[in-house]
Amino acid sequence: KQEVTQIPAALSVPEGENLVLNCSFTDSAIYNLQWFRQDPGKGLTSLLLIQSSQREQTSGRLNASLDKSSGRSTLYIAASQPGDSATYLCAVITSGTYKYIFGTGTRLKVLA
Amino acid sequence: AAGVIQSPRHLIKEKRETATLKCYPIPRHDTVYWYQQGPGQDPQFLISFYEKMQSDKGSIPDRFSAQQFSDYHSELNMSSLELGDSALYFCASSSRAQGAYNEQFFGPGTRLTVL
C-alpha cells in the first residue's frame, strides 16, 4: 500500500531564504508526482507535475525533482516571500491506479 | 481557461439528512475524481469515473453514491449524514484520452458542514 510522507510537517523561515520541502513514497512504481499548494480552508493549486520519466520540473521560483528509485521528491523554493505561506502537499499516482495518494503536507510560514 | 466547477461551494446540513454535491469537469475531460479532506487532514480519494463508468473506488462509505452523466458532470450523493462527514470535498478532472496519467485539475471544493 502506497504511503506518502512529507518532512518537515511545519517550517517557519525569514523572508528571502531558499528552502527545500521533502516528499517520500514507499512504492517507487509511480506514474507521476504532483506538488500542490493549499491556503487555509481553500482549494488545491497545482504547482508542478513530474511524470515518472522526468527528473525535474521548474516554474518561476519553484523547482521540483524526482528520484523514483529512492522514492523521493523535493520542492525547492527560491527567495521565499510571505505570500508563499501555505500548506504544500505532494501526491503520487501509483502504477495500476489512477488516483492520487496525498502526503501529510508541510505547513510553511514565511516571516516578513 | 475553463476550470472545474463545483456546486454548491458551501452546504450546511443536519445529521441524518442527505446532500448532493455536483462537479462540472473541464470541457473535453472524460475522467472525474472525488476526494474528501477532513479538518487538518490530507485529501483522501473516494471514487472516480471514466466515460461514465466507475473506474476506481477508495474509502467511500456505503452511505455515499456517485455517478457520471452523459454530459460528463458528476454528482456525489450522501445520505444519513454524520458529524464526521463534515469536510471539504474536492472534484478533479483529467483527460485520459490525452494520456492515462495526465495532470488532474482540481475544483475549488464544496465545504460540507453537518450539524
Side-chain angles (χ1 to χ4, degrees), chain A residues 1 20-21 25 39 48 58 66-68 74 99:
Chain A
K1 179 189 171 189
V20 174
L21 308 182
F25 43 95
D39 293 288
L48 291 165
T58 298
L66 174 64
D67 184 344
K68 259 183 45 172
T74 60
K99 62 189 178 190

Side-chain angles (χ1 to χ4, degrees), chain A residues 20-39:
Chain A
V20 174
L21 308 182
N22 297 292
C23 171
S24 60
F25 43 95
T26 55
D27 186 346
S28 61
I30 65 169
Y31 286 118
N32 66 34
L33 182 146
Q34 196 163 350
W35 281 93
F36 296 88
R37 167 189 172 136
Q38 185 173 34
D39 293 288

Side-chain angles (χ1 to χ4, degrees), chain A residues 31-32 34 36 38 40-44 46 49 51 89 93-105, chain B residues 33 35 37 41-45 48 55-58 88 90 96 100-109 111:
Chain A
Y31 286 118
N32 66 34
Q34 196 163 350
F36 296 88
Q38 185 173 34
K42 302 295 185 182
L44 300 170
S46 178
L49 170 74
Q51 302 283 4
L89 294 158
I93 294 182
T94 308
S95 174
T97 76
Y98 297 96
K99 62 189 178 190
Y100 270 123
I101 303 297
F102 282 83
T104 45
Chain B
Y33 312 80
Y35 294 85
Q37 186 178 31
Q41 299 177 2
D42 49 278
Q44 298 289 318
F45 171 77
S48 63
S55 65
D56 207 345
K57 194 172 181 179
L88 196 53
F90 290 108
R96 197 175 295 188
Y101 305 102
N102 261 2
E103 182 176 2
Q104 292 183 21
F105 294 83
F106 282 76
R111 180 167 296 284

Side-chain angles (χ1 to χ4, degrees), chain B residues 61-82:
Chain B
D62 292 341
R63 299 177 289 107
F64 294 6
S65 65
Q67 57 182 320
Q68 186 179 31
F69 295 86
S70 57
D71 64 351
Y72 294 98
H73 94 271
S74 178
E75 295 184 5
L76 178 65
N77 298 292
M78 310 160 71
S79 63
S80 302
L81 287 170
E82 302 174 356

Side-chain angles (χ1 to χ4, degrees), chain A residues 1-14:
Chain A
K1 179 189 171 189
Q2 178 75 271
E3 291 183 3
V4 184
T5 306
Q6 292 184 244
I7 294 174
L11 184 62
S12 185
V13 300

